[in-house]
């Protein structure tokens, strides 16, 4: 029964995060290669010290579920929009949301912060090791080898 409660809470949390991520994000693709993607993420109404941490869920959501239309290598999300996919691999995605995703971020820096705007606006530049992330999905049995 406890396991079921954890799953229910996880999915309720996911339902709260996804619409928030979709509403108030502004992500711009800066550069992409087969190995690394570099993006700028605008986050709003956050303190300067919290900007980078506030940007991580937006990067996570976009990389896994939405993709980057302007990208040559990552047009589609790594797992797509199939909710059943996330349900089948809930433990993996739970760990990713709890901070494991951060281990794939190779660089993150605050490149602009405007505290005078309403709401406050921050731009965070982030590079993500996509080769390692895709390899992790394969090794964990979440996705088969990409491109096959």
């Amino acid at each position: 029964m406890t396991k079921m409660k954890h799953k229910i809470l996880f999915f309720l949390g996911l339902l709260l995060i996804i619409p928030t991520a979709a509403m108030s994000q502004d992500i711009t693709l800066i550069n992409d290669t087969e190995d690394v993607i570099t993006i700028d993420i605008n986050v709003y109404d956050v303190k300067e010290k919290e900007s980078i941490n506030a940007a991580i869920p937006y990067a996570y959501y976009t990389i896994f579920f939405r993709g980057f239309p302007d990208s040559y290598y990552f047009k589609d999300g790594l797992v797509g929009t199939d909710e059943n996919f996330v349900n089948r691999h809930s433990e993996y995605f739970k760990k990713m949301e709890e901070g494991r995703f951060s281990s794939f971020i190779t660089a993150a820096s605050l490149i602009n912060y405007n505290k005078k705007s309403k709401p406050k606006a921050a731009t965070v530049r982030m590079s993500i090791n996509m080769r390692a992330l895709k390899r992790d999905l394969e090794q964990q049995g979440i996705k088969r080898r990409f491109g096959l």
Side-chain angles (χ1 to χ4, degrees):
M1 188 70 171
T2 305
K3 211 174 203 186
M4 184 61 138
K5 285 181 183 179
H6 287 294
K7 284 183 181 182
I8 291 170
L9 289 174
F10 168 72
F11 291 116
L12 287 175
L14 190 61
L15 289 173
L16 292 173
I17 290 172
I18 289 174
T20 303
M23 266 190 333
S24 61
Q25 71 181 358
D26 183 17
I27 297 181
T28 306
L29 178 68
I30 301 300
N31 187 32
D32 70 328
T33 67
E34 287 183 78
D35 297 334
V36 176
I37 194 164
T38 302
I39 54 179
D40 280 355
I41 305 165
N42 292 329
V43 291
Y44 303 97
D45 209 20
V46 296
K47 294 180 181 177
E48 187 172 0
K49 292 178 184 179
E50 299 167 359
S51 299
I52 292 174
N53 286 334
I56 292 172
Y58 300 124
Y60 166 83
Y61 174 76
T62 303
I63 287 170
F64 276 99
F65 305 108
R66 292 186 59 196
F68 300 91
D70 297 338
S71 172
Y72 181 77
Y73 297 101
F74 306 104
K75 283 193 182 301
D76 299 318
L78 292 179
V79 299
T81 58
D82 181 11
E83 291 178 21
N84 291 325
F85 189 85
V86 175
N87 293 341
R88 289 191 306 267
H89 305 285
S90 61
E91 191 61 34
Y92 179 83
F93 288 101
K94 180 180 176 188
K95 288 179 184 176
M96 285 303 232
E97 288 180 2
E98 289 175 345
R100 189 162 182 269
F101 177 73
S102 297
S103 68
F104 299 97
I105 299 171
T106 57
S109 60
L110 180 63
I111 60 171
N112 187 29
Y113 187 77
N114 187 352
K115 65 181 174 184
K116 293 181 181 179
S117 68
K118 298 286 182 201
K120 298 173 192 169
T123 304
V124 175
R125 180 156 297 162
M126 200 174 285
S127 295
I128 295 102
N129 186 338
M130 297 298 286
R131 181 176 298 264
L133 186 54
K134 289 190 318 188
R135 190 176 316 132
D136 185 64
L137 285 165
E138 293 168 15
Q139 290 173 345
Q140 298 294 325
I142 306 302
K143 283 270 299 201
R144 283 202 236 158
R145 183 157 186 167
F146 287 79
L148 295 180

